[in-house]
């Protein structure tokens, strides 16, 4: 058999439980943020307190995504998983953010 075509061991591409917890929490927080940001945009009530809350929420999500997902994956897990950090950010932060926004739109269509 060819030495280059060896199946990877099961533990070779697995992330530790702490990394999986970070990714699951990032997805949940991103979906929550997308839901409430879309609620703000669609409500039409653009007062200063609500605007400042949405700006603070958006800044917090951007900072947390960069610090705890992008940099963490770049420094610790890129060599283990061979997945680019931007792909991880897209799959675990951007897509859940859009899903949270679309969830509000779906709820509005049902009422």
């Amino acid at each position: 058999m060819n030495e280059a075509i060896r199946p990877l061991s099961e533990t070779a591409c697995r992330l530790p439980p702490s990394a999986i917890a970070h990714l699951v929490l990032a997805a949940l927080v991103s979906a929550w943020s997308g839901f409430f940001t879309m609620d703000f945009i669609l409500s039409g009530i653009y007062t200063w307190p609500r605007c400042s809350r949405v700006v603070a929420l958006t800044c917090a999500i951007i900072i947390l995504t960069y610090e705890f997902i992008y940099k963490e994956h770049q420094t610790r897990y890129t060599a283990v998983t061979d997945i680019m950090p931007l792909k991880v950010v897209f799959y675990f932060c951007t897509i859940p953010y859009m899903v949270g926004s679309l969830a509000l739109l779906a709820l509005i269509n049902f009422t």
Side-chain angles (χ1 to χ4, degrees):
M1 229 175 152
N2 192 354
E3 292 285 328
I5 307 175
R6 283 183 290 151
L8 292 173
S9 67
E10 228 176 88
T11 59
C13 291
R14 292 183 51 137
L15 292 172
S18 63
I20 293 170
H22 278 133
L23 295 176
V24 169
L25 284 174
L28 291 174
V29 169
S30 294
W32 176 79
S33 175
F35 184 87
F36 284 104
T37 302
M38 185 59 73
D39 176 49
F40 168 74
I41 291 170
L42 294 178
S43 71
I45 304 170
Y46 305 123
T47 61
W48 174 244
R50 289 192 71 187
C51 288
S52 64
R53 275 186 240 141
V54 169
V55 169
L57 178 64
T58 304
C59 289
I61 290 297
I62 290 170
I63 291 168
L64 292 174
T65 298
Y66 177 72
E67 288 292 327
F68 294 110
I69 303 301
Y70 180 79
K71 280 177 61 176
E72 186 82 14
H73 189 79
Q74 185 179 25
T75 57
R76 290 188 180 181
Y77 308 119
T78 300
V80 175
T81 61
D82 291 332
I83 300 172
M84 300 284 292
L86 284 177
K87 273 189 175 181
V88 173
V89 167
F90 183 74
Y91 290 133
F92 289 99
C93 296
T94 307
I95 290 177
Y97 188 89
M98 291 186 291
V99 167
S101 299
L102 293 174
L104 182 69
L105 293 174
L107 286 174
I108 288 173
N109 286 335
F110 285 133
T111 58

